[in-house]
C-alpha cells in the first residue's frame, strides 16, 4: 500500500515577505556587479587608457562593449596570430607528435622486419599513438579557431561609424587556413576594401586559399604591400587591384607556376622576396623574364633552386641570395650594382664528407658572367672549406666595396686574396673572421704569387674579430705590402649583423677589447716590420 504523499507546509506571510526582500537585495547586488563601470568613464580617460596599451590589448577592447568602437585608436599596426590563442598544451602535444613520427621512422629503418605480420603489428601500435595525438591537436585547433573568429569579427566586421575612428595601415592575419574559410574571405575583403589596409600579410599554419577575383571592381584600394605565407593566391595576376602593388613577399610555396605571370602583369612591384619556395622536379630551375618589370630589390632565401636565370630585369639594383649555393645566370640586368651571397655548406659536400671525400665548390661558378658590380657581400659558411682556392678572372672590374663576413674558423682565410686579385679598382675591404684557427703560421696560402698581386686602389682595410692570431696578422701584412695607396687599417674585436632593411648590407657590432700597451705596440710593429706603407693602423 502506498504511503500518503506528504503535504507541503504553507509558509507564513512573514516568511514570504522576508524571502521577497532577500531576492530583491540579491538582484540589486547582481545588477551592481554586472554593470560596466569602465564604459561610464569620459572619452578622454578611455583614450588615455588605450594609449597605455599595446596594439593587441587595444584590439581586444573592441569586444568588451560597443562604446569602445567609437573611440579613436592610436595604433595603426595590428598582428592577429592564432598561435597566441593556442594553449601551452597544444605546443607540448605538437612536440610529442613530431617525436612520435620521428621515432616510428627511425625504428622502421633500424629493424627492417621481413615478416608482414610483425610489420603490420608495429604499424598499428605506432599509428594508434600518432592518431590519438593528431586528434588532440585538431581539437585544440578547432577551439582556438572559434575564439579567433569571434575576436577578428569584432575587430574587422564593425559598422562604418567605428571604422571612421580607427585606421589600419599594416595588418597581419595568421590562421588555420583549412577551416573557417568563409570568415577568412570576409576578413580579407573587409581589410582591403573597407579598412583601406596598405600593408597586408596573410599566413596559414597549414595552408590557405583565396580567390583574389573577389576584389575585382573594388575602388579606392590603397594596398601596396602584400605578403603570402603558405597561401595559394588564385587569380592574383588577373586582378586589377594588385597591379599597383610595389612590394610582394611569397613564402612556403610549392607551386611557382603563377609567379612568372604575376611579375609580368604586376609591373609596379619594386621589392620581391621568395622564401622557402620549392619546385618539385629533379633539377629545380627558376626563371624570371619580365622586361616591363620595375623590380629593384630581389631576395631569394632558403629555396631549392639549383639555378636561377635572370633573363630580363632591367631595373634590378640589389640581389640577395641565402641558403644553398645557387648558380645565377645573368641576362639583361644593366642596373645591378649590389650583390649579397649568404651560402651554407652544400648538402652534397656534407654527405661526401662522411665518406672522407674532399670535394670543393668552384668559386668561379658563382661569378660567371657577372655584371659590373659596385658592392659585393659574401658569407660562406660550413665546417669544411668547400670553396676552391684557385684564381678567378678579373670579373669585378668596377667593384668598389667588398665585405667578406662570417669566415669559419676551420677555413684558410687567405682565399680572400683571390677576390682582391679579381677587383683591380677596389677601394674598401671589410673582413669578418672568427676565432684563431688551428693552424697559426701566418703564411700565404699555396698558389698565390705575391709579385703579381697589386691592389693599387685599396685605401681602407677593416678586420672585424681581430685577436692577434698569426693567420690574421699574416693576412693584414700581405694586404698592406701589396697596397701602396692604403691609408687606414682598422683592427677591432666584434661581430656583424644584417641591417633592418634586410637587403644584404651588414652592420658592425664592436666589442670592447682591453689591449695592453705592450701588446698593442708589439702587434703594430709586427704588422709594419719591413713594409713601406703610410697607412694608419688602429687597434681597438
Amino acid at each position: 500500500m502506498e504511503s500518503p504523499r506528504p503535504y507541503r507546509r504553507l509558509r507564513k506571510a512573514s516568511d514570504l515577505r522576508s524571502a521577497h526582500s532577500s531576492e530583491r537585495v540579491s538582484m540589486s547586488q547582481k545588477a551592481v556587479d554586472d554593470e560596466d563601470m569602465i564604459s561610464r568613464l569620459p572619452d578622454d580617460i578611455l583614450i588615455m587608457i588605450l594609449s597605455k596599451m599595446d596594439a593587441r590589448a587595444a584590439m581586444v577592447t573592441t569586444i568588451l562593449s560597443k562604446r569602445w568602437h567609437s573611440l579613436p585608436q592610436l595604433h595603426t599596426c595590428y598582428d592577429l596570430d592564432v598561435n597566441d590563442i593556442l594553449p601551452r598544451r597544444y605546443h607540448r602535444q605538437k612536440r610529442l607528435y613530431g617525436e612520435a613520427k620521428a621515432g616510428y621512422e627511425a625504428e622502421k629503418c633500424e629493424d627492417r622486419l621481413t615478416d608482414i605480420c610483425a610489420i603490420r603489428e608495429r604499424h598499428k601500435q605506432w599509428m594508434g599513438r600518432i592518431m590519438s595525438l593528431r586528434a588532440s591537436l585538431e581539437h585544440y585547433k578547432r577551439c582556438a579557431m572559434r575564439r579567433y573568429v569571434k575576436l577578428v569579427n569584432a575587430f574587422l566586421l564593425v559598422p562604418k561609424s567605428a571604422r571612421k575612428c580607427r585606421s589600419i595601415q599594416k595588418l597581419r592575419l595568421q590562421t588555420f587556413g583549412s577551416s573557417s574559410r568563409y570568415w577568412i574571405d570576409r576578413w580579407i575583403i573587409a581589410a582591403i576594401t573597407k579598412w583601406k589596409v596598405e600593408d597586408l600579410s596573410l599566413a596559414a599554419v597549414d595552408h590557405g586559399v583565396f580567390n583574389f577575383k573577389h576584389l575585382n571592381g573594388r575602388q579606392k584600394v590603397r594596398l601596396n604591400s602584400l605578403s603570402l605565407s603558405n597561401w595559394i593566391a588564385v587569380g592574383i595576376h588577373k586582378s586589377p587591384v594588385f597591379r599597383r602593388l610595389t612590394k610582394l613577399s611569397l613564402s612556403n610555396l610549392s607551386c611557382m607556376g603563377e609567379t612568372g605571370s604575376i611579375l609580368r602583369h604586376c609591373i609596379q612591384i619594386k621589392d620581391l622576396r621568395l622564401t622557402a619556395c620549392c619546385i618539385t622536379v629533379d633539377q629545380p630551375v627558376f626563371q624570371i623574364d619580365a622586361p616591363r618589370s620595375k623590380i629593384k630589390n630581389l631576395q631569394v632565401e632558403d629555396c631549392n633552386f639549383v639555378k636561377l636565370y635572370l633573363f630580363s630585369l632591367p631595373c634590378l639594383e640589389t640581389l640577395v641570395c641565402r641558403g644553398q649555393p645557387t648558380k645565377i645566370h645573368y641576362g639583361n640586368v644593366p642596373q645591378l650594382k649590389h650583390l649579397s651571397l649568404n651560402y651554407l655548406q652544400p648538402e652534397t659536400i656534407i654527405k661526401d664528407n662522411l665518406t672522407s671525400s674532399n670535394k670543393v665548390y668552384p668559386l668561379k661558378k658563382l661569378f660567371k658572367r657577372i655584371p659590373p658590380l659596385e658592392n659585393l657581400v659574401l658569407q660562406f659558411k660550413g665546417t669544411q672549406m668547400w670553396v676552391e682556392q684557385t684564381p678567378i678572372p678579373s670579373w669585378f672590374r668596377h667593384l668598389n666595396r667588398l665585405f667578406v663576413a662570417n669566415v669559419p674558423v676551420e677555413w684558410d682565410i687567405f682565399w680572400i686574396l683571390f677576390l682582391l686579385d679579381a677587383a683591380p679598382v677596389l677601394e674598401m675591404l671589410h673582413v669578418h673572421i672568427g676565432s684563431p684557427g688551428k693552424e697559426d703560421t701566418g703564411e700565404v696560402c699555396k698558389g698565390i704569387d705575391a709579385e703579381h698581386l697589386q691592389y693599387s686602389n685599396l685605401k681602407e682595410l677593416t678586420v672585424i674579430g681581430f685577436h692577434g692570431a698569426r693567420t690574421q696578422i699574416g693576412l693584414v701584412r700581405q694586404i698592406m705590402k701589396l697596397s701602396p695607396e692604403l691609408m687606414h687599417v682598422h683592427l677591432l674585436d666584434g661581430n656583424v649583423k644584417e641591417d633592418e632593411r634586410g637587403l644584404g648590407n651588414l652592420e658592425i657590432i664592436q666589442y670592447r677589447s682591453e689591449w695592453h700597451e705592450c701588446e698593442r705596440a708589439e702587434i703594430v710593429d709586427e704588422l709594419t716590420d719591413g713594409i713601406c706603407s703610410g697607412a694608419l693602423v688602429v687597434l681597438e
Side-chain angles (χ1 to χ4, degrees):
M1 183 177 178
E2 295 182 0
S3 59
R5 182 178 180 180
Y7 287 97
R8 186 172 161 184
R9 186 180 68 85
L10 296 176
R11 287 191 284 182
K12 298 179 181 179
S14 58
D15 295 340
L16 294 175
R17 287 194 297 269
S18 61
H20 286 302
S21 62
S22 61
E23 184 177 355
R24 286 194 298 268
V25 171
S26 62
M27 292 177 63
S28 61
Q29 183 67 30
K30 183 179 180 181
V32 172
D33 294 339
D34 293 342
E35 186 176 2
D36 186 3
M37 302 297 293
I38 296 180
S39 295
R40 298 178 59 184
L41 296 174
D43 289 352
D44 295 339
I45 297 180
L46 293 178
I47 294 174
M48 183 183 65
I49 294 175
L50 289 176
S51 65
K52 304 296 182 180
M53 299 180 181
D54 57 3
R56 187 180 302 278
M59 178 202 65
V60 174
T61 60
T62 58
I63 65 176
L64 296 179
S65 173
K66 294 181 179 179
R67 169 78 185 284
W68 295 84
H69 286 301
S70 59
L71 295 175
Q73 298 285 338
L74 304 179
H75 302 281
T76 59
C77 302
Y78 295 91
D79 185 359
L80 312 182
D81 193 345
V82 70
N83 289 319
D84 296 335
I85 302 178
L86 291 168
R88 295 182 179 179
R89 296 186 299 274
Y90 169 82
H91 300 286
R92 184 167 58 250
Q93 294 279 6
K94 188 176 181 180
R95 178 177 54 82
L96 294 176
Y97 176 75
E99 292 176 354
K101 291 185 66 177
Y104 171 69
E105 295 296 334
E107 183 177 332
K108 184 171 63 175
C109 295
E110 290 178 0
D111 293 347
R112 295 181 180 179
L113 300 178
T114 57
D115 186 7
I116 188 65
C117 296
I119 294 176
R120 289 179 177 176
E121 183 64 25
R122 182 185 60 186
H123 178 76
K124 183 178 180 180
Q125 293 177 358
W126 277 103
M127 285 298 105
R129 181 181 178 185
I130 291 175
M131 295 304 294
S132 63
L133 292 173
R134 180 184 296 177
S136 178
L137 292 177
E138 293 298 327
H139 170 72
Y140 287 128
K141 287 182 180 180
R142 289 192 299 268
C143 295
M145 201 61 193
R146 284 195 292 265
R147 294 178 56 192
Y148 185 79
V149 167
K150 294 180 180 179
L151 178 65
V152 180
N153 284 347
F155 180 68
L156 291 179
L157 307 181
V158 295
K160 187 176 181 180
S161 58
R163 293 198 298 270
K164 293 181 179 179
C165 301
R166 280 183 278 155
S167 175
I168 303 179
Q169 295 181 359
K170 185 176 182 180
L171 176 64
R172 180 177 180 269
L173 296 174
Q174 181 167 0
T175 68
F176 296 109
S178 58
S179 60
S180 302
R181 183 175 176 181
Y182 168 76
W183 292 112
I184 294 175
D185 292 348
R186 293 189 62 186
W187 297 339
I188 297 175
I189 295 174
I192 296 176
T193 61
K194 297 180 180 180
W195 288 100
K196 310 299 182 183
V197 174
E198 300 176 5
D199 187 346
L200 179 61
S201 177
L202 302 176
V205 176
D206 39 20
H207 68 275
V209 180
F210 179 75
N211 193 339
F212 286 90
K213 294 181 181 179
H214 297 325
L215 299 173
N216 292 348
R218 305 288 180 168
Q219 302 295 331
K220 298 180 181 180
V221 176
R222 301 178 183 175
L223 185 68
N224 53 43
S225 177
L226 179 63
S227 176
L228 301 176
S229 178
N230 205 7
W231 207 277
I232 300 176
V234 179
I236 184 175
H237 63 280
K238 297 181 180 180
S239 177
V241 174
F242 296 96
R243 295 191 179 173
R244 57 176 297 172
L245 282 178
T246 59
K247 186 177 182 180
L248 179 63
S249 177
L250 303 176
S251 304
N252 299 303
L253 296 182
S254 58
C255 180
M256 301 293 294
E258 289 194 358
T259 306
S261 300
I262 293 174
L263 298 181
R264 286 191 296 270
H265 290 83
C266 303
I267 61 175
Q268 300 297 329
I269 295 177
K270 296 182 179 179
D271 296 281
L272 175 62
R273 181 167 185 172
L274 305 176
T275 305
C277 297
C278 300
I279 300 179
T280 56
V281 294
D282 295 335
Q283 293 293 328
V285 176
F286 186 65
Q287 304 175 359
I288 299 179
D289 187 7
R292 299 172 54 205
S293 175
K294 297 181 180 180
I295 293 178
K296 292 185 177 181
N297 304 316
L298 173 61
Q299 300 184 60
V300 180
E301 182 175 358
D302 295 332
C303 298
N304 71 335
F305 308 150
V306 175
K307 296 181 180 180
L308 176 61
Y309 287 89
L310 304 178
F311 287 121
S312 181
L313 283 176
C315 298
L316 185 64
E317 298 178 357
T318 302
L319 174 62
V320 181
C321 290
R322 305 183 183 93
Q324 295 294 322
T326 303
K327 298 178 182 178
I328 305 175
H329 296 261
Y330 303 93
N332 182 24
V333 285
Q335 301 297 326
L336 184 60
K337 302 299 179 184
H338 174 72
L339 176 63
S340 176
L341 302 179
N342 187 351
Y343 287 161
L344 301 173
Q345 184 171 346
E347 295 180 355
T348 55
I349 296 179
I350 296 176
K351 295 178 181 179
D352 293 335
N353 191 26
L354 299 176
T355 59
S356 301
S357 177
N358 294 322
K359 289 188 176 182
V360 292
Y361 198 93
L363 186 61
K364 59 183 180 181
K365 288 187 177 181
L366 300 176
F367 309 111
K368 190 175 182 180
R369 297 179 182 177
I370 195 168
L373 300 173
E374 296 180 358
N375 187 12
L376 177 62
V377 180
L378 299 178
Q379 299 184 70
F380 297 154
K381 305 172 184 177
T383 56
Q384 177 186 350
M385 187 168 183
W386 50 271
V387 175
E388 184 179 6
Q389 297 192 53
T390 54
I392 59 178
S394 299
W395 287 330
F396 308 128
R397 297 185 181 276
H398 301 272
L399 191 65
N400 294 326
R401 185 175 182 268
L402 174 62
F403 203 135
V404 184
N406 291 309
V407 179
V409 177
E410 297 82 4
W411 287 32
D412 184 356
I413 62 177
F414 287 94
W415 69 274
I416 300 174
L417 297 178
F418 291 112
L419 300 175
L420 298 181
D421 191 26
V425 298
L426 187 68
E427 296 182 358
M428 298 176 59
L429 173 63
H430 291 72
V431 180
H432 169 235
I433 53 182
S435 302
K438 297 180 181 179
E439 296 182 1
D440 199 22
T441 60
E443 298 177 355
V444 181
C445 63
K446 183 179 179 181
I448 293 185
D449 188 358
E451 296 180 358
H452 294 82
L453 292 177
Q454 288 292 329
Y455 318 131
S456 56
N457 291 308
L458 188 62
K459 296 180 175 59
E460 180 179 343
L461 171 63
T462 303
V463 180
I464 305 103
F466 185 82
H467 303 285
R470 301 299 301 174
T471 51
Q472 299 175 355
I473 294 176
L475 177 65
V476 175
R477 277 183 54 87
Q478 187 71 11
I479 296 176
M480 291 178 62
K481 181 179 179 181
L482 302 172
S483 305
E485 301 294 330
L486 190 62
M487 301 174 60
H488 300 282
V489 178
H490 193 189
L491 310 176
L492 56 96
D493 185 16
N495 204 345
V496 296
K497 69 173 184 177
E498 289 201 15
D499 61 359
E500 296 180 355
R501 294 187 60 192
L503 293 178
N505 292 317
L506 300 177
E507 296 180 357
I508 300 175
I509 304 174
Q510 185 174 352
Y511 298 155
R512 184 176 180 181
S513 181
E514 298 292 340
W515 287 92
H516 194 274
E517 292 298 331
C518 296
E519 294 178 339
R520 190 190 306 271
E522 182 180 353
I523 292 177
V524 173
D525 291 341
E526 189 171 1
L527 290 173
T528 58
D529 185 22
I531 299 177
C532 297
S533 175
L536 176 63
V537 181
V538 178
L539 178 60
E540 296 182 346

